[in-house]
Amino acid sequence: ASISWPTTCLNVAIADAMDQIARWIQDGGTVMAAIQRALLESAPVRFGGNGYAPEWVVDAEQRGLPHARNTPAALRALAGEGARAVFERTHVLSHQELHARYEVRVEQYVKKVEIEADVLRGMVDTQVLPVATAEAAEAARDVLSLRASGVESAAVSGRLAALVSGCDALAATRLGLEEAIRGAPVQDETAKAAYLCDAVVPALLQVREACDLLEEIVGDAR
């Protein structure tokens, strides 16, 4: 992903803060007084620790800072009054230009999730399940062959049971993904993005987990 947009947002924030400090000085304050005021007012958002650590999330919430946990929630900040005001104050983007960027990014998110869901469905239907069920059928033949010879093998029977269970679990998650996709709203892109994040993305992860479990069982030859 390009860093141009995050860089733009950071530069807008810095420019707006520098402009505020300059106004304090122009209103008759001293440079030192402006710096002290800036340090005091920015205290809630200054953090000198590890910004990627879980502790920072707790610290940020205690400070009253917003914490967007997914893409739709983060994008909603672009449609808020705070973002509109700072971009207009710095003469970087008008309200219409900023909102257009919000709409484009929401649409991009929706399309990407829909594409990922469509690709995963195809992979499961044409690759993963056919291979896993073929492996299960082979394991079933092995069980019958051993029994015909008067031999019972816990290892072979256990492998068959694991393969069948894995195939059933994958089929169930695949059906869950299909149902989640069908429930998506079609008119409102913002509502659709939120729905995909809350319902479809978790369903995608469940399908992946089921695929990963089967991958640990199915032989490398397949």
Side-chain angles (χ1 to χ4, degrees), residues 89-108:
R89 274 201 308 270
T90 52
H91 305 288
V92 175
L93 293 173
S94 67
H95 170 62
Q96 291 81 5
E97 290 170 330
L98 183 62
H99 192 73
R101 281 162 174 76
Y102 164 74
E103 291 183 333
V104 167
R105 280 166 173 77
V106 168
E107 183 178 355
Q108 287 175 338

Side-chain angles (χ1 to χ4, degrees), residues 58-207:
V58 177
D59 195 342
E61 291 177 348
Q62 290 174 347
R63 297 178 186 213
L65 300 177
H67 179 216
R69 299 176 183 270
N70 53 62
T71 299
L75 291 176
R76 280 196 292 272
L78 290 179
E81 176 61 26
R84 183 201 63 77
V86 71
F87 273 93
E88 287 190 340
R89 274 201 308 270
T90 52
H91 305 288
V92 175
L93 293 173
S94 67
H95 170 62
Q96 291 81 5
E97 290 170 330
L98 183 62
H99 192 73
R101 281 162 174 76
Y102 164 74
E103 291 183 333
V104 167
R105 280 166 173 77
V106 168
E107 183 178 355
Q108 287 175 338
Y109 177 81
V110 168
K111 294 301 181 186
K112 286 179 180 179
V113 174
E114 288 179 335
I115 290 171
E116 288 178 1
D118 191 50
V119 169
L120 185 58
R121 285 187 295 179
M123 291 174 64
V124 169
D125 294 344
T126 64
Q127 298 178 47
V128 182
L129 267 179
V131 168
T133 52
E135 185 96 350
E138 183 176 326
R141 287 192 293 270
D142 291 341
V143 170
L144 293 176
S145 177
L146 288 173
R147 286 178 179 173
S149 302
V151 177
E152 286 288 345
S153 171
V156 177
S157 298
R159 176 174 174 75
L160 172 60
L163 285 166
V164 171
S165 176
C167 289
D168 288 345
L170 179 55
T173 59
R174 170 66 176 82
L175 179 60
L177 174 60
E178 194 69 35
E179 292 174 349
I181 292 171
R182 284 200 297 266
V186 295
Q187 299 297 332
D188 188 340
E189 285 289 286
T190 298
K192 189 173 187 178
Y195 175 86
L196 291 176
C197 181
D198 294 337
V200 175
V201 170
L204 287 171
L205 294 176
Q206 290 176 349
V207 173

